[in-house]
Amino acid sequence: MQKENYKKGIQALYMMFLVWIVIECDFISAVLPNQILALGISPVIWGIGAFFILNKMRKQNAGELYQTNDIFTGRDWLIIFFVVMGSISLCVRNYVYIGMRPLIIREFFSSYPLYTLRNILYYPLEILLMLELLIYAQRAGDCLTQKSTIPWGALVLFFLWGLPHLYHGVTDGIVSALNAFIFAIPFYASGKKLKVSYISMLILWLLV
């Protein structure tokens, strides 16, 4: 049994790093000289990578990586309700105190149509990749350490998704890294349910 868990943990660790590599392919857009190619390359790579990994995840799952739920329960709707209200609260606070509008307004309603189209694809795909990273990291930590009470997924999201934002600047890096724990809350609160986690993370992302 211990050997089987170790094998599953290594497999999850491998997939975790594969997800991370797909996420980091975003840097390609920074080195392309053509603006249109630079705008389009990340959604293409992320889209192919995210759905390839999602398909593989569904085949591997067997109720271990995450929980499937076609019909939302009362608890699921309650999680989404608090996510929406919490996001609105943060959104209002950010606007009142620092004049920052929510991301959905900043990024989805620009005067540049190609930029808007790119963002409509880019951000939902980024959330999907973040969730995949979270799921595989949690599974790897659970299997390799036998300590499922530790939020391995959130910690990996902090280090591998959040901290790399330091290349945008120290402030953005610190805020993104700490936000990793906020984005991870729906995953743990829902009992690792895929759909509730994704919807909740997307709401948090777009409204804050």
Side-chain angles (χ1 to χ4, degrees):
M1 183 65 178
Q2 195 170 19
K3 186 177 180 180
E4 184 67 21
N5 279 336
Y6 179 77
K7 182 179 178 182
K8 289 180 179 179
I10 293 298
Q11 289 175 342
L13 197 64
Y14 164 77
M15 290 302 298
M16 182 194 83
F17 280 110
L18 178 61
V19 176
W20 179 65
I21 289 169
V22 173
I23 292 173
E24 292 308 306
C25 283
D26 187 40
F27 85 91
I28 296 173
S29 64
V31 298
L32 287 176
N34 185 283
Q35 188 179 24
I36 294 177
L37 286 177
L39 284 173
I41 192 68
S42 289
V44 171
I45 294 175
W46 279 6
I48 294 171
F51 284 100
F52 169 79
I53 292 165
L54 183 63
N55 185 55
K56 194 168 183 64
M57 184 183 290
R58 284 172 174 162
K59 292 177 180 177
Q60 293 175 332
N61 185 32
E64 296 178 342
L65 290 169
Y66 60 86
Q67 298 298 319
T68 57
N69 58 316
D70 294 326
I71 300 176
F72 282 12
T73 65
R75 180 182 176 182
D76 297 335
W77 286 113
L78 190 62
I79 289 170
I80 292 175
F81 170 77
F82 278 110
V83 165
V84 170
M85 298 311 296
S87 299
I88 290 173
S89 174
L90 291 171
C91 174
V92 171
R93 186 199 64 179
N94 289 340
Y95 185 74
V96 170
Y97 289 107
I98 60 176
M100 185 173 72
R101 295 175 297 175
L103 182 137
I104 191 170
I105 294 177
R106 298 195 311 269
E107 303 291 345
F108 286 12
F109 294 94
S110 72
S111 57
Y112 188 19
L114 282 178
Y115 182 73
T116 299
L117 178 61
R118 174 259 193 187
N119 289 340
I120 290 173
L121 299 172
Y122 182 91
Y123 291 114
L125 287 171
E126 183 169 11
I127 291 295
L128 180 56
L129 286 165
M130 287 168 61
L131 181 56
E132 290 170 347
L133 183 66
L134 175 63
I135 289 171
Y136 276 118
Q138 187 62 44
R139 182 61 177 163
D142 289 349
C143 290
L144 295 175
T145 68
Q146 301 300 303
K147 295 180 180 179
S148 59
T149 55
I150 297 176
W152 300 110
L155 292 170
V156 168
L157 207 59
F158 173 89
F159 286 108
L160 295 187
W161 173 80
L163 286 183
H165 283 78
L166 285 169
Y167 77 87
H168 287 306
V170 175
T171 302
D172 190 44
I174 292 173
V175 171
S176 295
L178 293 176
N179 279 346
F181 293 104
I182 296 176
F183 288 123
I185 290 173
F187 177 69
Y188 295 105
S190 67
K192 302 181 182 180
K193 289 183 178 179
L194 188 68
K195 291 181 181 178
V196 176
S197 300
Y198 179 77
I199 292 170
S200 298
M201 290 171 71
L202 187 60
I203 291 170
L204 278 166
W205 187 272
L206 295 178
L207 294 184
V208 177

